[in-house]
Amino acid sequence: MKKWFILTIMLCMLAPYKAFADVAVGEMIVTLGENLTPEQKNTLLAEMKAPQDVQTITVSNAEEHEYLGSYISKALIGTKAISSSAVTFEQAGTGLKVESKNINWVTDEMYINALATAGVKDATIYVTAPIPVSGTAALTGIIKAYEVSSDKVIPEDVKQAANEEMVTTAKLGDEIGTEQAAALMTKIKEEMAANKPETPEELRTIIDSAAQDLNITLTEEQVQNLQDLFNKLKELNIDWNAVGDQLTKAKEKLDVFLESEEGKSFIDKIKEGFANLIEAIKALFQ
């Protein structure tokens, strides 16, 4: 009786200290850039609608350079960490949803794709900054927050791959359009989840097929960059079915894009280009 009484008291004392692995649905964790002023921090916390007792994690500029230094210039990363994020955990099967403010290079769908690659699951994520920024550094904070809250360690090579994917997609977006680049990455991952490629030739077929389905014309260099990236991802221990499950919102955005005026206009322009080419050929023979 005495032993059970002592054990009960100990359990009661430990109860408030819930393990991070038991994170509850609706629970939020916030990442804040190390170089934010106190006023900026308060403004962003209010913007995120963060509760008073929200757990916060600081992200440093050194961490940004650690994960991004191999893929983009030091100038683009900058010398201050200011971008921040709020991660709210959702029910299993919900997938990933991202909304951003003052982020001018990385799109919401690019975050979703990179986070799915890293193994982040079932969360609503809000990325923000007090001034317009590229948004590349936010991924570091989100992954860090997910690790702390879920008590799961994401392998370093997977983190690096997710950051490389985000930058590769953003650079491709500069060349073919951000919507098109994000849609292409979603489509490729969807195909990889359905039929995991075993050879470089099979991977090339998936990339070519995805681009063709979206009426996107890629240069040989762009195809090679995608092959290099996905070959690297293919070698990692990534569950592509789980990745596909997390891309629900990105897939929805892809469908909306293809049905939108911008998407239809993009496809119409390609059709018009082919029509003009045919007319030019006819004119030569005439």
Side-chain angles (χ1 to χ4, degrees), residues 207-233:
I207 294 171
D208 288 341
S209 177
Q212 187 175 1
D213 288 347
L214 296 172
N215 289 308
I216 294 173
T217 302
L218 298 172
T219 65
E220 191 58 36
E221 183 181 358
Q222 289 166 344
V223 172
Q224 189 59 56
N225 288 339
L226 289 171
Q227 273 196 284
D228 291 343
L229 172 65
F230 279 100
N231 267 322
K232 186 177 293 185
L233 295 179

Side-chain angles (χ1 to χ4, degrees), residues 69-85:
S70 299
Y71 315 117
I72 55 178
S73 67
K74 291 182 179 180
L76 189 57
I77 301 172
T79 58
K80 293 182 179 180
I82 58 172
S83 57
S84 305
S85 65

Side-chain angles (χ1 to χ4, degrees), residues 29-36 41 48 56-68 77 79-87 135-146 148 163:
I29 183 168
V30 167
T31 72
L32 296 170
E34 185 177 50
N35 300 109
L36 290 169
K41 287 181 183 178
M48 296 170 179
T56 61
I57 293 175
T58 300
V59 179
S60 69
N61 186 246
E63 288 175 304
E64 296 174 0
H65 282 274
E66 177 185 353
Y67 287 107
L68 293 163
I77 301 172
T79 58
K80 293 182 179 180
I82 58 172
S83 57
S84 305
S85 65
V87 180
T136 52
L139 188 67
T140 300
I142 297 168
I143 291 176
K144 189 175 179 180
Y146 182 77
V148 169
N163 278 281

Side-chain angles (χ1 to χ4, degrees), residues 47-118:
E47 184 183 312
M48 296 170 179
K49 297 181 174 60
Q52 289 289 330
D53 60 346
V54 70
Q55 184 185 1
T56 61
I57 293 175
T58 300
V59 179
S60 69
N61 186 246
E63 288 175 304
E64 296 174 0
H65 282 274
E66 177 185 353
Y67 287 107
L68 293 163
S70 299
Y71 315 117
I72 55 178
S73 67
K74 291 182 179 180
L76 189 57
I77 301 172
T79 58
K80 293 182 179 180
I82 58 172
S83 57
S84 305
S85 65
V87 180
T88 304
F89 294 89
E90 308 291 355
Q91 291 183 345
T94 303
L96 293 168
K97 180 181 178 182
V98 174
E99 182 184 351
S100 58
K101 179 183 176 183
N102 276 340
I103 305 299
N104 57 23
W105 196 45
V106 180
T107 69
D108 298 350
E109 290 69 44
M110 291 177 195
Y111 282 125
I112 291 174
N113 268 295
L115 289 168
T117 293

Side-chain angles (χ1 to χ4, degrees), residues 4 89 96 100 125 127 152 161 184 190 198 224 228:
W4 278 109
F89 294 89
L96 293 168
S100 58
I125 297 159
V127 185
K152 294 179 181 178
L184 180 61
E190 203 173 1
E198 299 297 334
Q224 189 59 56
D228 291 343

